């Protein structure tokens, strides 16, 4: 462990469970890097990630955004292109945009597509898939409601999905956020994950919840504290 992280860890009791408010306060105190560190929540779930009916994924609109303006590209046709442009999409196109992607234009954070364009997008699935950029109905990025989707993505709508270990990792803002805004975002995310519990999941659903800054130590949250 780096000397810096050792010093920061002294501020956190590894054996204590903190309230959301205490955790948000601590994560700000331990974010001492020279850049504005991201704050991420990690939720370890009691699911079997190998079972498709136990996958936990979804989207949630964080009330205070994530502290970053995301670049949103849209693949659509006709009037939906105009709708995307009015909503603030950074780049809009159809087969021309797909060709740009095939040539290596991946300068976006989120790609949204209308259902009628998914067949054409399959041509670049091998490029987008490994990078987690392929539009998906479950993440809300395949839709005809283009305008609303683009606006929400710009405001702070994030997608979450458990990894191969059954853990959900999701950014909830920046260390520079006011504590109350971090608290609100954390509670919003946790609430969304709780509601997304698969019916096939048995036993204890949430094993642990922790929060940390990019370079800081993990701070565990008491699940019994008010969410």
């Amino acid at each position: 462990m780096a000397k810096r992280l050792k010093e920061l860890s002294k501020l956190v009791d590894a054996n204590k469970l903190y309230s959301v408010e205490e955790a948000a306060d601590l994560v700000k105190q331990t974010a001492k890097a020279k850049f504005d560190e991201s704050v991420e929540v990690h939720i370890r779930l009691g699911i079997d990630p190998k079972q498709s009916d136990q996958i936990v994924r979804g989207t949630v609109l964080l009330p205070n955004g994530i502290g970053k303006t995301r670049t949103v590209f849209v693949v659509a046709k006709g009037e939906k292109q105009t709708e995307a442009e009015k909503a603030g999409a950074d780049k809009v196109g159809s087969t021309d945009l797909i060709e740009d992607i095939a040539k290596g234009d991946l300068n976006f954070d989120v790609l949204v597509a209308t259902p009628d364009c998914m067949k054409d997008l399959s041509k670049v699935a091998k490029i987008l898939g490994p990078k987690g950029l392929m539009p998906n109905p479950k993440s809300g990025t395949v839709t005809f409601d283009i305008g609303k989707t683009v606006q929400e993505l710009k405001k702070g709508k994030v997608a979450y999905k458990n990894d191969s270990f059954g853990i959900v990792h999701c950014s909830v803002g920046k260390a520079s956020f006011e504590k109350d805004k971090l608290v609100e975002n954390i509670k919003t995310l946790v609430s969304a994950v709780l509601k997304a519990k698969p019916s096939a999941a048995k036993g204890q659903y949430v094993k642990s919840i922790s929060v940390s800054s990019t370079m800081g130590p993990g701070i565990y949250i008491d699940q019994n504290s008010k969410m």
Side-chain angles (χ1 to χ4, degrees), residues 99-119:
E99 289 175 6
D100 289 342
I101 291 171
K103 294 175 183 177
D105 184 1
L106 298 173
N107 298 312
F108 54 88
D109 299 302
V110 186
L111 181 64
V112 181
T114 51
D116 57 335
C117 288
M118 288 304 292
K119 183 178 179 181

Side-chain angles (χ1 to χ4, degrees), residues 24 32 48 59 75 81 84 102 123 133 144-145 169 175-177 214:
K32 299 297 183 182
D48 182 350
T59 59
V75 178
Q81 290 192 356
K123 300 173 183 177
L133 295 172
F144 279 119
D145 198 353
H169 308 275
S176 61
F177 276 25
T214 305

Side-chain angles (χ1 to χ4, degrees), residues 32-33 39 51 53 66 72 96 114 118 120 128 159-160 164 174-175 184 202 215 225:
K32 299 297 183 182
V39 175
Q51 302 301 318
D53 60 353
I66 58 173
V72 180
D96 56 331
T114 51
M118 288 304 292
D120 295 328
L128 297 172
Y160 60 85
S164 59
K174 296 287 187 178
E184 192 175 11
K202 305 300 180 183
M215 306 292 286
S225 64

Side-chain angles (χ1 to χ4, degrees), residues 151-171:
Q151 288 176 347
E152 288 184 341
L153 287 168
K154 287 288 189 177
K155 288 179 181 177
K157 186 176 184 180
V158 296
Y160 60 85
K161 180 185 178 184
N162 64 267
D163 63 13
S164 59
F165 298 99
I167 304 172
V168 169
H169 308 275
C170 190
S171 176

